[in-house]
Amino acid sequence: MLPPVNLRPSFNITRSSHVRLTVADLAESKNFYVNALGLVVSDEDERTCYLRGLAEACHHSLVLELDEEGAGRSKRIGFRVFFDEDLDIAYEWFRERGLPAEWVDLPYQGRTLHVSDPIGTPLELCATMETRPRLHINFEQYKGAHAQRLDHYQIFAPDTYELCAFYSELGFRNSEYLERGDKLLGAFMYRKGTCLDLAIIENTGPALHHFAYTVSESRDIFTACDWAGILGYGDGVERGPGRHGPGGMLFAYLRDPDGHRVEVFNSHYQTIDTEVEPVRWDAASLSTNARWGLPALEKWYFEASPFVGVPQIPPAEQPKPMSLERFLLEQPIP
Amino acid sequence: MLPPVNLRPSFNITRSSHVRLTVADLAESKNFYVNALGLVVSDEDERTCYLRGLAEACHHSLVLELDEEGAGRSKRIGFRVFFDEDLDIAYEWFRERGLPAEWVDLPYQGRTLHVSDPIGTPLELCATMETRPRLHINFEQYKGAHAQRLDHYQIFAPDTYELCAFYSELGFRNSEYLERGDKLLGAFMYRKGTCLDLAIIENTGPALHHFAYTVSESRDIFTACDWAGILGYGDGVERGPGRHGPGGMLFAYLRDPDGHRVEVFNSHYQTIDTEVEPVRWDAASLSTNARWGLPALEKWYFEASPFVGVPQIPPAEQPKPMSLERFLLEQPIP
Amino acid sequence: MLPPVNLRPSFNITRSSHVRLTVADLAESKNFYVNALGLVVSDEDERTCYLRGLAEACHHSLVLELDEEGAGRSKRIGFRVFFDEDLDIAYEWFRERGLPAEWVDLPYQGRTLHVSDPIGTPLELCATMETRPRLHINFEQYKGAHAQRLDHYQIFAPDTYELCAFYSELGFRNSEYLERGDKLLGAFMYRKGTCLDLAIIENTGPALHHFAYTVSESRDIFTACDWAGILGYGDGVERGPGRHGPGGMLFAYLRDPDGHRVEVFNSHYQTIDTEVEPVRWDAASLSTNARWGLPALEKWYFEASPFVGVPQIPPAEQPKPMSLERFLLEQPIP
Amino acid sequence: MLPPVNLRPSFNITRSSHVRLTVADLAESKNFYVNALGLVVSDEDERTCYLRGLAEACHHSLVLELDEEGAGRSKRIGFRVFFDEDLDIAYEWFRERGLPAEWVDLPYQGRTLHVSDPIGTPLELCATMETRPRLHINFEQYKGAHAQRLDHYQIFAPDTYELCAFYSELGFRNSEYLERGDKLLGAFMYRKGTCLDLAIIENTGPALHHFAYTVSESRDIFTACDWAGILGYGDGVERGPGRHGPGGMLFAYLRDPDGHRVEVFNSHYQTIDTEVEPVRWDAASLSTNARWGLPALEKWYFEASPFVGVPQIPPAEQPKPMSLERFLLEQPIP
């Protein structure tokens, strides 16, 4: 059911690395990410703020870019490659397939390559960044939920299988996946040795559904929500705290001042080994709330940050998830 | 706004003590409370199961009584008095006011008095119980959310102010309270030195909205939900995990196999002192979600376990809470 | 074995309330308590700093008093009484027994009575304080281990039984106690409905062995230690983190900049009821580490803050605890 | 100071995988690992017990082998390679260097290669194992500290630099390291994307100082200790709970029924990237307790499980750590 995986990909993407978002008010967005999530500012200027999690030694995992007219969109999702030479190989690889690939110069990171996947998701590849001290035990710098590191992205794609096949060729493997019958709807893919670097969900895309930071303990999930409330974004605690079906981790989804969705969650299991089969979930038999509690809102299922300048394609069949709204309508009247 | 408190009440109620519920299937209910909440069976027979929290030395805080025809109701809520003599004074006190009061013999507890408050809430008073070892550090007996002890009840009353006045005469004080303008809607009352023994909410009553057990840490809130899911009651995680407005503790509300609602929450602050003013909440300015997240379901606001044989009285004005259903209806369409 | 308890004491002490310590450097001590423990400054001037825990509504639970020459001593331990009238009764009660009792005026608290117990422990009684907002859910003000409230004191007394008898007459009861045979060595006494307000240990006294603040969760025990390290007091993490024998709670003991010992621990069980027997521990059969890990240092057993101006009396028999030093000496050589 | 790393090693070791220990009483050892650590039995027979952590999908990470005469020793430490072909390359690689390499057949794992490093540490390499379901969210199977997965080993070597150079050639990198001046004393090396797979400490070796399992949250560190106490191994809580200098994680070290040392600790930071420099610690300026609390016992520094049949070599200079014993001797007498 899953596309074949190339375990010896042409070049070595090692992990999800950083995301670039447009925001309407840099101070307000920084306030949200620094005080609610607990990210640390590595550098900033009048139009850009570079943030990292407390356990991150690389310069940035979140880049906020001021865009007064076009806020609320995503510019790129970044991946790391292992060697600098991987970039050159990647350049050729994308060019050969007729996909966009161009070199760019960007502050605080090494040689950088901009490429796009077949549905137009704008990717940014680099092999190095400037480094900064890890602050994971600098408790005097802890704020909010003191998120530790960026973990993964979830994107919408009009055809999950096709995009999953593309990333499988690049060595991404599925830890878990979601099907209706034999139709692949969700692919939970990783390169680093945990569950996820990139989740692909079938819906109008490409679009960035969310990006996710790890927190240390389950209490920190609550702390993120508490801080969202303190900062006036309590209504933006869109889903959770709850426990995932696939993966099984605890989560909460927050909407930031521009409506970008960020997840905080506790840790993943380790993957790495080739003989362990991906876990299959069946959309038909999946209860609306995989573990317990209420389903997610309609907007959690459908809203996502568009990528700047990238046209979106609807899926062949519009998803009809058992959203909270639908669940309440279908409840028997007592 | 709050009724006067008698700080030298005629007799000394010290704390909420135990609740008696009717259930349709004793084994199933026991399974829920032992494995999801983590309560310990102190004794049981074919028609009754006596449970206590892990940190409780007294015989029972929850009594499940098999009632094939009348399951899903509450029989009584229990309070402890300090001295055995307090029972005799209480007997006279209720009789003098024309309220029901009669002596009963019940297993595992000392001399016991059955009384009713002015709206008919059936109360059970005793000064002693048989004791059992506390098991709070007997980790080998921990199950589920390993709830530590019964903390409080919340009941519906047709007139919060009047019932609050009655309990105030018995020495109950408010830690916090909820008003719309100067109309008292919610009274959060205590006798022991924490926030709550008895919460009174204006709605058709008397009825038992929920009873609450403490858990040790925020993680245990999730554990209770996880276990509800494991046991097949994941849909019964009716509200939360979330953080309360009044009180500020973390909570989750679970429905048991008969629909009784039990709350698990983490710890309260200490009260005791007389000079500290109760905290006032204004229903008009209270956001639907006091801290963050979505409002509670309509049924969380309206469903409650009736007391066996006690007629219910509606409030003068029907509550119109901003329930989740209403909240979703009133959302602007994007 | 335990002295009789007067359950109807002449006046009503409700709880331990506050402690007054002398310090050599007010800024340094404040730094320790604000940043490591997370206490909040209610008020301060050049010679005094008033602090409270985050969940405390009363003005102060810790008073630091600058005393360049006499730092490292305790001035008084404070208790609250329920009614203002209790103070008048207490005045007479101490006078009748030939014990010191005098009225004093002190900032931020109501009418205040200074008395001493029979071994000279200087006590401070009051019925009211100025109030301040509780900050238990003001996470934006959380620092360090964000200690919630003062819980109890532990003092040394030359004869535990005699002093335990004195406090038993005042209505203090034992939750647990420590004996060698039938010789009472440790009395763990409470007035409020938890395990402890005053622990009495047989050793040269009176002296203040430690005072204790509650923290919310077990993680906060580590946080207190981490912050002690950050502030340069890592060597002052004198004992723990560990789990108590009596009580069973988690703990860590820190020495503050003047050598005062403060404990952080997680929550106690509820007491209140009269029929529950105190738990007896036998010093002879108690393993050196009641639960696990290494015994405490010799200085943990013997060092304590003396009370200003109060002569100390040695016990009839010098304690010989199985300290860490003795334990290591007595280990078999491999 | 650190030896050069071969980032393109001849074959691909991906992670530490499993450890084989000899035990005197299989039932007792199983009891310890199942009930205190919370490991799950994958399979067992009369002489062998195969265990895994709750989040592990591969058959075993701990193999206990009954050896009535030779208990308390380690047989092998296991590593995983990515491809089956890596085993063939490894075979040649070790043979070419005159190091032992032979094929063996072992239950529950794929083709297996036994090799030794230059100091004789017996290694076991395989590319696959039988798989079992991950149980990380099967809370109904949680016991004890519910350890999630094996993370790393620490071994003694007579010359840290030399052995570090050997493993560096195999692609192991240092996350952190310990030097006295420019003498390398401790190498904290990893292959998977976290801090550690193999720590090498200079002392008489080869010997297995400890192996380490991850737990989910800081509370679980206490739970492991509590369960050691419950099972009668409270005296074997040899060090901690505490916080590491290098790495910065929380830890506790337990001795099992045969004296094998197992660490439980919470999570590591992510490594992976090549541009991040290893963190250097200086043994001379390192305080005895890197963060806070007391130093470790002499035996923690010197005792380790020997490898079956492997002669040990002392280091050129005997370590003189600031052990607890030495620390107490050198304390000023008050």
Side-chain angles (χ1 to χ4, degrees), chain D residues 85-99:
Chain D
E85 301 90 287
D86 285 309
L87 293 173
D88 300 303
I89 303 166
Y91 180 87
E92 294 303 324
W93 193 94
F94 279 85
R95 286 277 170 173
E96 281 166 13
R97 280 152 188 80
L99 293 168

CSV table of all heavy atoms in Angstrom, one decimal, chain D residues 85-99:
chain,number,residue,atom,x,y,z
D,85,GLU,N,24.1,-6.1,4.7
D,85,GLU,CA,25.4,-6.0,4.0
D,85,GLU,C,26.5,-5.4,4.9
D,85,GLU,O,27.7,-5.7,4.8
D,85,GLU,CB,25.4,-5.3,2.7
D,85,GLU,CG,24.4,-5.8,1.7
D,85,GLU,CD,23.1,-5.2,1.8
D,85,GLU,OE1,22.3,-5.5,2.8
D,85,GLU,OE2,22.7,-4.3,1.0
D,86,ASP,N,26.1,-4.5,5.8
D,86,ASP,CA,27.0,-3.9,6.7
D,86,ASP,C,27.7,-4.9,7.6
D,86,ASP,O,28.9,-4.8,8.0
D,86,ASP,CB,26.3,-2.9,7.6
D,86,ASP,CG,26.0,-1.6,6.9
D,86,ASP,OD1,26.8,-1.0,6.3
D,86,ASP,OD2,24.8,-1.2,7.0
D,87,LEU,N,27.0,-6.0,7.8
D,87,LEU,CA,27.7,-7.1,8.6
D,87,LEU,C,28.8,-7.7,7.9
D,87,LEU,O,29.9,-8.0,8.5
D,87,LEU,CB,26.6,-8.2,9.0
D,87,LEU,CG,25.5,-7.7,9.9
D,87,LEU,CD1,24.4,-8.8,10.0
D,87,LEU,CD2,26.0,-7.4,11.3
D,88,ASP,N,28.6,-7.9,6.6
D,88,ASP,CA,29.7,-8.5,5.8
D,88,ASP,C,30.9,-7.6,5.8
D,88,ASP,O,32.1,-8.1,5.9
D,88,ASP,CB,29.2,-8.9,4.4
D,88,ASP,CG,28.0,-9.8,4.5
D,88,ASP,OD1,28.2,-10.9,5.0
D,88,ASP,OD2,27.0,-9.5,4.0
D,89,ILE,N,30.6,-6.4,5.6
D,89,ILE,CA,31.7,-5.4,5.5
D,89,ILE,C,32.4,-5.3,6.9
D,89,ILE,O,33.7,-5.3,7.0
D,89,ILE,CB,31.2,-4.0,5.1
D,89,ILE,CG1,30.5,-4.1,3.8
D,89,ILE,CG2,32.4,-3.0,5.1
D,89,ILE,CD1,29.7,-2.8,3.4
D,90,ALA,N,31.6,-5.4,7.9
D,90,ALA,CA,32.2,-5.3,9.3
D,90,ALA,C,33.1,-6.6,9.5
D,90,ALA,O,34.2,-6.5,10.1
D,90,ALA,CB,31.1,-5.3,10.3
D,91,TYR,N,32.6,-7.7,9.1
D,91,TYR,CA,33.4,-8.9,9.2
D,91,TYR,C,34.8,-8.7,8.7
D,91,TYR,O,35.8,-9.0,9.3
D,91,TYR,CB,32.7,-10.1,8.6
D,91,TYR,CG,33.4,-11.4,8.7
D,91,TYR,CD1,33.3,-12.2,9.8
D,91,TYR,CD2,34.3,-11.8,7.7
D,91,TYR,CE1,33.9,-13.4,9.9
D,91,TYR,CE2,35.0,-13.0,7.8
D,91,TYR,CZ,34.8,-13.8,8.9
D,91,TYR,OH,35.5,-15.0,9.0
D,92,GLU,N,34.8,-8.3,7.4
D,92,GLU,CA,36.1,-8.1,6.8
D,92,GLU,C,37.0,-7.0,7.5
D,92,GLU,O,38.2,-7.2,7.7
D,92,GLU,CB,35.9,-7.6,5.3
D,92,GLU,CG,35.3,-8.7,4.4
D,92,GLU,CD,36.2,-10.0,4.4
D,92,GLU,OE1,37.4,-9.9,4.5
D,92,GLU,OE2,35.5,-11.1,4.4
D,93,TRP,N,36.3,-6.0,7.9
D,93,TRP,CA,37.0,-4.8,8.5
D,93,TRP,C,37.7,-5.3,9.8
D,93,TRP,O,38.9,-4.9,10.0
D,93,TRP,CB,35.9,-3.7,8.8
D,93,TRP,CG,36.5,-2.4,9.2
D,93,TRP,CD1,36.7,-1.4,8.4
D,93,TRP,CD2,36.8,-2.0,10.5
D,93,TRP,NE1,37.2,-0.3,9.1
D,93,TRP,CE2,37.3,-0.6,10.4
D,93,TRP,CE3,36.8,-2.6,11.8
D,93,TRP,CZ2,37.7,0.1,11.5
D,93,TRP,CZ3,37.2,-1.8,12.9
D,93,TRP,CH2,37.7,-0.5,12.7
D,94,PHE,N,37.0,-6.1,10.6
D,94,PHE,CA,37.6,-6.5,11.9
D,94,PHE,C,38.7,-7.5,11.6
D,94,PHE,O,39.8,-7.5,12.2
D,94,PHE,CB,36.6,-7.1,12.8
D,94,PHE,CG,35.8,-6.1,13.6
D,94,PHE,CD1,34.7,-5.4,13.1
D,94,PHE,CD2,36.3,-5.6,14.9
D,94,PHE,CE1,34.0,-4.4,13.8
D,94,PHE,CE2,35.6,-4.7,15.6
D,94,PHE,CZ,34.5,-4.1,15.0
D,95,ARG,N,38.5,-8.4,10.7
D,95,ARG,CA,39.5,-9.4,10.3
D,95,ARG,C,40.8,-8.8,9.8
D,95,ARG,O,41.9,-9.1,10.2
D,95,ARG,CB,38.9,-10.4,9.2
D,95,ARG,CG,37.9,-11.4,9.7
D,95,ARG,CD,38.6,-12.6,10.3
D,95,ARG,NE,37.6,-13.4,11.0
D,95,ARG,CZ,37.9,-14.6,11.5
D,95,ARG,NH1,39.2,-15.1,11.4
D,95,ARG,NH2,37.0,-15.3,12.1
D,96,GLU,N,40.6,-7.8,8.9
D,96,GLU,CA,41.8,-7.1,8.4
D,96,GLU,C,42.6,-6.5,9.5
D,96,GLU,O,43.8,-6.3,9.3
D,96,GLU,CB,41.3,-6.0,7.4
D,96,GLU,CG,40.9,-6.4,6.1
D,96,GLU,CD,40.1,-5.4,5.3
D,96,GLU,OE1,40.2,-4.2,5.7
D,96,GLU,OE2,39.5,-5.7,4.3
D,97,ARG,N,42.0,-6.1,10.5
D,97,ARG,CA,42.7,-5.4,11.6
D,97,ARG,C,43.2,-6.4,12.7
D,97,ARG,O,43.7,-6.0,13.8
D,97,ARG,CB,41.9,-4.4,12.3
D,97,ARG,CG,41.9,-3.1,11.4
D,97,ARG,CD,40.6,-2.2,11.6
D,97,ARG,NE,40.6,-1.1,10.6
D,97,ARG,CZ,40.3,-1.2,9.3
D,97,ARG,NH1,40.0,-2.4,8.8
D,97,ARG,NH2,40.4,-0.2,8.5
D,98,GLY,N,43.0,-7.7,12.4
D,98,GLY,CA,43.4,-8.7,13.3
D,98,GLY,C,42.6,-8.8,14.6
D,98,GLY,O,43.0,-9.3,15.6
D,99,LEU,N,41.4,-8.3,14.5
D,99,LEU,CA,40.5,-8.3,15.6
D,99,LEU,C,39.5,-9.5,15.4
D,99,LEU,O,39.2,-9.9,14.3
D,99,LEU,CB,39.7,-7.0,15.7
D,99,LEU,CG,40.5,-5.8,16.1
D,99,LEU,CD1,39.7,-4.5,15.9
D,99,LEU,CD2,41.0,-5.9,17.5
